[in-house]
Amino acid sequence: MPPSLALPVIEATFPRRLHAYWPRLQEETRRWLREWRLMPADKVQQHADGLRYTDLMAGYYLGAPDEVLQAIADYSAWFFVWDDRHDRDIVHGRPHAWRRLRHALHAALDAPRDHLRHQDALVAAFADSVLRLFSFLPATWNARFARHFHAVIEAYDREFRNRTEGVVPPVEEYLALRRLTFAHSIWTDLLEPSAGRELPDAVRTHPAYRRPALLSQEFAAWYNDLCSLPKEIAGKEVHNLGISLVRHQGMTLDEAVADIRRRVEECISDFLVAEQEALRFADGLADGTVCGKELSAAVLACVGNMRNWFSSVYWFHHESGRYMVESWDDRSTPPYVDNAAEGEK
């Protein structure tokens, strides 16, 4: 592990754990990727386990019922494949293909059952994963998830335009866009089916809950930028905090790496403070009623999984073949992607 990426505080303070369902999860997600034709069977065989997508989710949503974790893991694997398609459409200059996909995903999010047989496997698999995620909690949660993911799709479109036009966004603009392209709200929303209940708005929007949730996601997004910087420089990317710092704040690459690392470390220390406030907030919800006790337990479960995100993200980035650029034949082309556009396969 390069010294710039090592975080002793994570290794010492955030114990790594995996959901007991993980071995089966890995097997079932491989099957799902093949069934929905998201990756060719040979690439699933060669790369799926090494990419560690299921490890990431199994280390985050501890306590989730097995069927909930399976739905989340399949959706997460889909998200990575979507991210790769988005990247390949940019690299190979396919704006019309991206536009078709963008509109189809919006439509599938609004009516997933109508898109299970869509000709584009990525859209059909998305419809399947959304339907499954929508089966666990009330329609109000489903509507919130859909609203948040519509925003993610549009953020990916803004990134598409920036990268196509070679625009490196200023730092603050990039950070705001990154919260959407990393899907902060989505991973936080999914804490609730893992805990077995939708949280009331008054709880979700309370600063004592929102603060640690945001910090856990900021850590993940910025640590991802730190780890993926060599990959994205090789691919002539413009969307990375390090690249924005170099372009707009005049930093050298080494200075940018040090700045991202500082931000990551501050996320960790700030989370440890915010976590204590969140735990006190959760305890206060237990007001002597059955409802209060259940709500308190659900919030405690969500906050516990916010903590799990730190170790899960950390080890994922050190173990996933997604970031092992030095081992690729072509540093700009991941070996697990399919370069063909939908319809050209």
Side-chain angles (χ1 to χ4, degrees), residues 224-283:
N224 176 268
D225 276 10
L226 188 63
C227 294
S228 62
L229 189 55
K231 167 178 176 274
E232 292 177 348
I233 289 174
K236 296 182 173 58
E237 264 271 23
V238 298
H239 263 244
N240 185 290
L241 178 53
I243 295 169
S244 287
L245 288 167
V246 169
R247 175 66 62 87
H248 293 288
Q249 297 194 4
M251 294 186 184
T252 65
L253 186 58
D254 286 345
E255 288 169 341
V257 167
D259 188 85
I260 301 172
R261 184 183 173 91
R262 174 188 60 78
R263 292 169 187 258
V264 164
E265 290 173 338
E266 286 179 357
C267 271
I268 298 168
S269 57
D270 289 349
F271 175 83
L272 291 171
V273 174
E275 178 187 34
Q276 294 306 308
E277 180 61 29
L279 295 174
R280 287 191 289 272
F281 172 63
D283 287 342

Side-chain angles (χ1 to χ4, degrees), residues 45-235:
Q45 180 68 29
Q46 294 172 33
H47 300 292
D49 288 354
L51 290 169
R52 305 292 180 112
Y53 296 160
T54 54
D55 299 39
L56 180 63
M57 295 298 110
Y60 185 17
Y61 297 103
L62 270 71
D66 292 354
E67 64 273 18
V68 172
L69 183 61
Q70 187 67 65
I72 292 173
D74 291 349
Y75 166 75
S76 172
W78 173 88
F79 202 115
F80 281 111
V81 176
W82 176 50
D83 186 74
D84 292 335
R85 170 84 73 84
H86 176 260
D87 177 71
R88 295 295 95 185
D89 280 349
I90 294 167
V91 168
H92 294 289
R94 302 190 292 235
H96 298 301
W98 164 248
R99 192 175 305 117
R100 283 195 305 272
L101 177 59
R102 170 189 163 210
H103 291 317
L105 292 177
H106 278 305
L109 189 54
D110 288 334
R113 198 171 300 280
D114 296 343
H115 291 77
L116 290 171
R117 299 184 183 277
H118 197 280
Q119 62 183 5
D120 186 333
L122 197 69
V123 177
F126 177 64
D128 176 73
S129 65
V130 168
L131 270 177
R132 290 159 64 201
L133 292 173
F134 280 4
S135 70
F136 301 122
L137 292 179
T140 46
W141 184 91
N142 297 348
R144 177 176 14 120
F145 180 95
R147 184 172 69 252
H148 287 161
F149 201 76
H150 279 304
V152 171
I153 296 168
E154 287 306 292
Y156 263 69
D157 186 54
R158 291 201 295 278
E159 179 177 335
F160 189 99
R161 284 183 273 119
N162 283 345
R163 289 181 59 189
T164 299
E165 297 167 11
V167 174
V168 178
V171 173
E172 291 306 315
E173 180 183 322
Y174 171 78
L175 292 176
L177 184 57
R178 185 65 167 134
R179 292 185 183 108
L180 290 167
T181 57
F182 194 81
H184 282 28
S185 295
I186 294 297
W187 307 118
T188 302
D189 286 339
L190 289 168
L191 291 168
E192 294 168 66
S194 299
R197 66 170 293 164
E198 181 181 21
L199 298 180
D201 287 349
V203 171
R204 285 190 310 100
T205 60
H206 195 287
Y209 184 85
R210 288 175 62 88
R211 176 73 172 151
L214 176 61
L215 287 166
S216 73
Q217 295 298 318
E218 297 279 50
F219 164 80
W222 298 346
Y223 193 65
N224 176 268
D225 276 10
L226 188 63
C227 294
S228 62
L229 189 55
K231 167 178 176 274
E232 292 177 348
I233 289 174

